[in-house]
Amino acid sequence: MGVDLRQVVAGVLTLAMFVMLGNMIKRDHFDSVEEKFPGGGGRDTLETSEYSKEGLGSFAKKNGGPWKDDGEELKQCWSKPSDDVEQTEGYVLFSLTNGPEYHVSQVADAVVVARYLGATLVLPDIRGTKPGDERNFDEIYDVEKFISSLDGVVKVVKKRPGKLSTRNLAAVKVPNRVTEDYIAEHVEPIYRSKGNIRLATYFPSVNMKKTEGKSSSDSVACLGMFGTLELQQEISEVVESMVERLKTLSRKSDGQFVSVDLRVDILEKNGCQGGDESGTKSCYNAQEIALFLRKLGFAKDTTIYLTESKWDGSLDALKDIFPKTYIKDGIIPADKKSKYLDSEGSEFEKIIDFYVCAQSDVFVPAISGLFYANVAGKRIASSKTQILVPADIPGASASPSKFITHYVSKKNHLAYACYC
């Protein structure tokens, strides 16, 4: 039986037409979902930068995603100040508030102020956002580590001296990353007059870019920010067990996982659906994050950790594309759940989120702010520089290198003044 060449050609053309049609339908469906979310790159706290190969390592499509090896290990380029400061008789008191992303900055400022004044630092308490939510320092952090790290720099006592009262204690506010000039002009006169101060840090900006020029207090600030706070043993073990659980769930990607700072209540308050007149955005919702990660090449079975405390229906859009998406409730050890997730305050949950995000292989800040900035600093110090800032990608795919945070690509984070 002979074969009609015209029928063969017609059959091939018909098959090709169906393949093309299928691809068009698939692409149109995927892009149509994205078009519901206008807006572009992000404000300066969620800013990416032009891609620079310097110090970024190489991205490679492997193990189901564009995973990148950790950056070159940085070394501490600061040391404890060795010069003696005249010790005065007064005390500096302060509290740690609003979560670990604030704690690191509050400690750094308190240490710089106490060092400049020659004052004794009183071990801080920890206060949550709700009235009455107060904890001792040792419920979250390692007391001995804190005191020993400051040995020879600032004298630390564990308890507030009984002789302090409202008569000899003045409340003083200082801006984050307080300078010696500011202390000399605004803090020292009050300290000399009253004898003791209660310090509170305010944040005129959440920008953690390093500044030009050097100060004699730089090494003290680096010590305060990166060398004083360590989790106490029990919480550290909880965080480590959760990280190990996430790695176990990520077998197909050699134990690598993505953490995303995404909290629904903040998204709703900030109105992230739109953007300002320039089209920039300061936060991204679950569906936008899902599309962002997918277009960067992360596989469907990528393990994702979210900082959201309780599952919300809006997160289903992310889980539909990446089924292995988890919140704390799904991976914390069962015997620790009541203490750390069901307690009155949310301080423990914030601590867990901060330290899991600092250890993940990839970190994606869906929300701009100090959490993003100080997690970035902790990651840079440990050479975990794969921090991807989300954006609405117009095409079907894009290189992750274009979305590396400016803190890394431009090496402009404060951490690069402390590690080099």
Side-chain angles (χ1 to χ4, degrees):
M1 178 178 177
V3 178
D4 190 333
L5 185 60
R6 289 176 297 177
Q7 289 180 330
V8 173
V9 172
V12 170
L13 291 174
T14 301
L15 180 61
M17 182 180 69
F18 276 111
V19 171
M20 289 175 61
L21 181 61
N23 286 337
M24 289 172 63
I25 292 172
K26 206 159 47 173
R27 185 171 63 249
D28 286 348
H29 171 72
F30 183 68
D31 289 343
S32 67
V33 176
E34 184 195 17
E35 287 168 4
K36 296 177 184 177
F37 306 99
R43 295 173 191 169
D44 55 1
T45 46
L46 267 185
E47 171 192 11
T48 53
S49 62
E50 290 301 315
Y51 173 44
S52 166
K53 291 184 179 179
E54 181 184 0
L56 295 185
S58 59
F59 285 88
K61 182 79 173 180
K62 59 180 182 178
N63 303 324
W67 305 101
K68 180 176 79 71
D69 295 332
D70 287 346
E72 181 182 354
E73 185 176 355
L74 299 177
K75 296 181 180 180
Q76 178 181 310
C77 50
W78 50 273
S79 57
K80 277 189 177 183
S82 55
D83 54 316
D84 293 329
V85 173
E86 183 182 351
Q87 187 71 27
T88 58
E89 295 184 0
Y91 294 85
V92 172
L93 287 75
F94 72 113
S95 296
L96 301 180
T97 61
N98 298 321
E101 66 270 33
Y102 287 85
H103 296 174
V104 292
S105 296
Q106 290 163 342
V107 166
D109 290 328
V111 170
V112 168
V113 169
R115 167 78 179 178
Y116 184 91
L117 299 175
T120 298
L121 195 64
V122 179
L123 191 72
D125 60 352
I126 300 173
R127 302 185 182 186
T129 53
K130 298 178 181 178
D133 183 11
E134 297 183 16
R135 303 181 188 278
N136 293 325
F137 186 88
D138 63 3
E139 291 183 64
I140 290 179
Y141 296 112
D142 185 327
V143 174
E144 298 310 319
K145 164 64 179 178
F146 183 82
I147 294 175
S148 63
S149 68
L150 294 173
D151 183 39
V153 179
V154 173
K155 183 180 177 182
V156 181
V157 295
K158 294 182 179 180
K159 294 184 179 180
R160 169 176 171 159
K163 63 182 180 181
L164 293 185
S165 67
T166 54
R167 293 195 309 274
N168 60 7
L169 182 64
V172 178
K173 289 186 177 182
V174 298
N176 179 34
R177 302 167 67 179
V178 63
T179 64
E180 291 180 324
D181 288 343
Y182 187 95
I183 298 171
E185 183 177 353
H186 300 284
V187 180
E188 187 173 20
I190 300 174
Y191 175 75
R192 300 297 179 193
S193 171
K194 280 292 216 177
N196 309 282
I197 58 172
R198 168 169 279 282
L199 202 65
T201 296
Y202 68 92
F203 293 80
S205 168
V206 295
N207 186 355
M208 294 302 290
K209 291 181 181 179
K210 66 179 180 180
T211 55
E212 297 299 326
K214 292 192 175 183
S215 165
S216 59
S217 65
D218 286 350
S219 61
V220 180
C222 287
L223 171 62
M225 181 165 281
F226 296 107
T228 57
L229 292 179
E230 283 187 5
L231 296 179
Q232 53 96 320
Q233 185 176 352
E234 183 179 347
I235 298 183
S236 179
E237 290 174 354
V238 169
V239 170
E240 290 303 320
S241 70
M242 293 174 69
V243 170
E244 287 303 313
R245 173 66 175 151
L246 289 163
K247 289 181 177 180
T248 301
L249 292 165
S250 309
R251 291 190 188 94
K252 291 186 178 180
S253 58
D254 284 347
Q256 296 172 303
F257 70 95
V258 177
S259 64
V260 180
D261 178 31
L262 192 159
R263 287 160 282 163
V264 174
D265 60 329
I266 294 180
L267 297 181
E268 291 174 346
K269 289 177 185 176
N270 289 3
C272 303
Q273 296 299 323
D276 59 25
E277 293 179 357
S278 67
T280 61
K281 300 171 68 173
S282 61
C283 45
Y284 291 80
N285 63 33
Q287 189 155 16
E288 292 170 295
I289 294 298
L291 294 175
F292 173 69
L293 292 174
R294 182 172 176 176
K295 289 187 176 187
L296 293 188
F298 286 95
K300 182 177 181 180
D301 59 3
T302 297
T303 299
I304 297 176
Y305 173 83
L306 297 180
T307 56
E308 174 60 45
S309 293
K310 298 186 183 300
W311 194 264
D312 183 86
S314 65
L315 303 178
D316 291 343
L318 179 56
K319 197 172 183 68
D320 287 345
I321 295 179
F322 296 100
K324 294 166 71 172
T325 296
Y326 301 93
I327 58 174
K328 289 174 283 293
D329 186 78
I331 57 172
I332 193 171
D335 61 331
K336 302 295 183 183
K337 189 176 294 188
S338 60
K339 179 175 181 178
Y340 291 105
L341 300 190
D342 300 333
S343 57
E344 284 295 320
S346 60
E347 205 64 29
F348 286 136
E349 296 185 24
K350 293 177 182 178
I351 291 288
I352 290 170
D353 287 335
F354 187 85
Y355 284 87
V356 171
C357 288
Q359 294 186 49
S360 63
D361 298 278
V362 177
F363 173 54
V364 178
I367 304 164
S368 66
L370 201 61
F371 188 96
Y372 157 45
N374 276 338
V375 166
K378 193 165 184 64
R379 291 180 65 92
I380 289 167
S382 59
S383 303
K384 289 187 171 293
T385 53
Q386 195 173 2
I387 306 168
L388 302 176
V389 176
D392 294 331
I393 301 172
S397 64
S399 168
S401 303
K402 295 180 179 179
F403 302 95
I404 286 283
T405 173
H406 64 90
Y407 283 139
V408 171
S409 64
K410 295 182 178 180
K411 294 187 176 181
N412 62 8
H413 194 283
L414 176 62
Y416 284 110
C418 303
Y419 292 87
C420 48

